[in-house]
Amino acid sequence: MAATTFEMDGSIMEGGGQILRVSTALSCIQGASIKINNVRAGRSTPGLRPQHLSGLELVRDLCAGHLEGGEVGSTEITLTTGKIKGGDYTADTKTAGSVVLLMQVSLPCVLFADSPSVLCLKGGTNAEMAPQIDYTLTVFKPMVERFGVNFDCDLKMRGYYPKGGGEIIVKTNPVKQLTPVTLTERGTITKIYGRAFVAGVLPHKLAKDMSAAAVRYIRKEIKDLYINIQAVREKKDESFGNGNGIILIAESSTGCVFAASALGKKGVYADKVGCEAAEMLLRNTRHNGCVDEYMQDQMIIFMALAHGTSRIRTGPLTLHTQTAIHIAEQLTKAKFTVTKAEDQDSNEDTHIIECQGIGMTNASL
């Protein structure tokens, strides 16, 4: 099926797994082949890791494609794509590799399938260097649903570093087209809540300390809001291995959602973990944008595919966002412009990302 072949240099800009995810998803959706060289050249262990390989194999399976260079450590891959078919699919990193990143590469693809899909994704749910599953459920899901995306995500088992063992089930319905999104009014922050968790043999006190430290830190800057951060112990039959961390969520009067998270590590005080997440949350509310720094780049692929003009108010552009825009413009006819916001609520960090999307149509529907 693939008449067009795209080529992408995996060492550019962000230089990591994101280039793989955005490039392969956009190629698959457009029925084009893609060749990526210098895979993850910017990382300390270049080449494919188990998580990236699982993601590529999943996309290959979704479209009955063919993958060359599909082994751990490979620095060059070629994916030949076919027609995206709905159905039941499983991807297992067999490590603590992030299930959320598996979803990041596959979700855009299954939106353009010929029928509903069920994805069983296994690995880490609360992993370093990736959004936590709690972030996906509270921030990513409502944000992408604005594009007309319809999916359910069922958290079956939490898994942590280094064992993994987590599992989510993602159910999606295909779309004819994605609708553009305008998110330019931040409003005021009306609510801050979250959860600090421990799992396995770790003491509940860690969760309480993370929660208390986060509340104290936020209180220094935001005095008059009720802050509710629960300290929880994960149920034994819903979590695998030992782990601890915290996720904080802020909501605005216009329905914008922001989040920040941190994971506990051996030798790091629980207070420090709570304060790290709190500072991250405050940083993402100071710029008066409508998305946080982690949602920012995840919006780009949906903006590029949507039918019409999307406008999103953000804080400073991250390298991940700049990379996603570069790839989207290389592999599609989407046109992005980034300008500084000039209204009374903006500061030097506030930007508007505008995109004229390609209006990708699902030929199967």
Side-chain angles (χ1 to χ4, degrees):
M1 173 185 168
T4 312
T5 299
F6 294 132
E7 291 208 12
M8 185 59 64
D9 180 351
S11 69
I12 56 161
M13 300 173 84
E14 182 267 335
Q18 185 207 18
I19 296 171
L20 278 171
R21 289 188 291 277
V22 180
S23 301
T24 49
L26 284 173
S27 301
C28 175
I29 290 163
Q30 296 180 99
S33 295
I34 180 127
K35 181 179 180 180
I36 305 172
N37 53 32
N38 300 321
V39 168
R40 295 182 68 254
R43 294 295 181 265
S44 55
T45 49
L48 295 177
R49 303 303 303 143
Q51 158 202 307
H52 309 107
L53 179 56
S54 301
L56 287 171
E57 289 172 341
L58 177 57
V59 173
R60 174 201 66 196
D61 294 348
L62 294 173
C63 66
H66 176 67
L67 177 65
E68 288 171 45
E71 58 250 358
V72 171
S74 174
T75 55
E76 185 173 303
I77 66 106
T78 303
L79 178 69
T80 309
T81 62
K83 191 168 178 290
I84 307 170
K85 293 203 173 299
D88 292 18
Y89 298 94
T90 299
D92 185 352
T93 66
K94 298 188 173 64
T95 65
S98 169
V99 295
V100 174
L101 297 182
L102 290 176
M103 186 170 112
Q104 229 176 64
V105 68
S106 55
L107 179 66
C109 301
V110 291
L111 295 175
F112 293 91
D114 58 356
S115 61
S117 302
V118 178
L119 309 175
C120 174
L121 309 177
K122 300 178 181 184
T125 58
N126 299 75
E128 286 284 7
M129 308 299 290
Q132 295 192 37
I133 188 61
D134 308 79
Y135 182 96
T136 303
L137 297 170
T138 51
V139 181
F140 175 82
K141 188 172 190 291
M143 283 295 188
V144 298
E145 281 175 344
R146 292 168 182 259
F147 290 95
V149 173
N150 181 356
F151 80 98
D152 285 318
C153 181
D154 186 12
L155 174 53
K156 292 288 187 196
M157 180 70 75
R158 289 178 181 272
Y160 312 99
Y161 180 81
K163 291 181 177 176
E167 181 180 339
I168 63 171
I169 305 283
V170 181
K171 296 178 179 175
T172 60
N173 288 316
V175 295
K176 184 70 183 167
Q177 267 188 334
L178 295 174
T179 44
V181 161
T182 300
L183 270 174
T184 52
E185 301 291 327
R186 207 286 298 267
T188 54
I189 299 298
T190 55
K191 205 171 165 184
I192 294 177
Y193 57 98
R195 72 196 299 272
F197 67 86
V198 293
V201 299
L202 299 178
H204 190 227
K205 184 182 183 307
L206 285 179
K208 290 179 179 168
D209 289 351
M210 286 185 287
S211 166
V215 172
R216 279 197 306 274
Y217 197 99
I218 293 166
R219 276 270 174 264
K220 288 188 213 163
E221 195 164 318
I222 299 175
K223 308 264 192 276
D224 50 357
L225 268 189
Y226 175 62
I227 302 171
N228 177 22
I229 302 166
Q230 296 174 309
V232 299
R233 170 174 286 293
E234 304 295 7
K235 293 177 184 160
K236 280 197 166 56
D237 59 349
E238 292 174 9
S239 60
F240 184 79
N242 305 317
N244 68 303
I246 185 168
I247 177 152
L248 306 174
I249 299 127
E251 291 182 9
S252 84
S253 54
T254 59
C256 299
V257 194
F258 312 85
S261 63
L263 289 170
K265 286 190 208 64
K266 205 170 179 178
V268 177
Y269 286 114
D271 297 36
K272 189 167 183 239
V273 179
C275 292
E276 184 190 328
E279 171 52 37
M280 192 187 291
L281 186 71
L282 292 171
R283 182 171 80 230
N284 279 290
T285 57
R286 289 179 194 129
H287 55 58
N288 277 309
C290 294
V291 294
D292 63 45
E293 63 193 282
Y294 302 102
M295 194 61 223
Q296 199 187 86
D297 67 280
Q298 296 183 74
M299 300 291 268
I300 300 303
I301 190 168
F302 298 100
M303 293 170 81
L305 293 167
H307 180 64
T309 305
S310 293
R311 295 185 81 232
I312 295 179
R313 182 186 180 93
T314 76
L317 255 64
T318 65
L319 182 56
H320 270 87
T321 299
Q322 293 169 38
T323 305
I325 288 173
H326 174 79
I327 296 167
E329 289 193 324
Q330 293 278 307
L331 303 188
T332 74
K333 291 189 167 65
K335 288 279 167 280
F336 285 85
T337 53
V338 179
T339 51
K340 285 210 162 183
E342 301 286 355
D343 55 80
Q344 74 233 29
D345 296 321
S346 60
N347 56 40
E348 69 273 13
D349 286 336
T350 322
H351 293 78
I352 303 283
I353 303 175
E354 190 170 303
C355 173
Q356 188 61 45
I358 61 171
M360 189 69 203
T361 303
N362 188 336
S364 301
L365 296 186

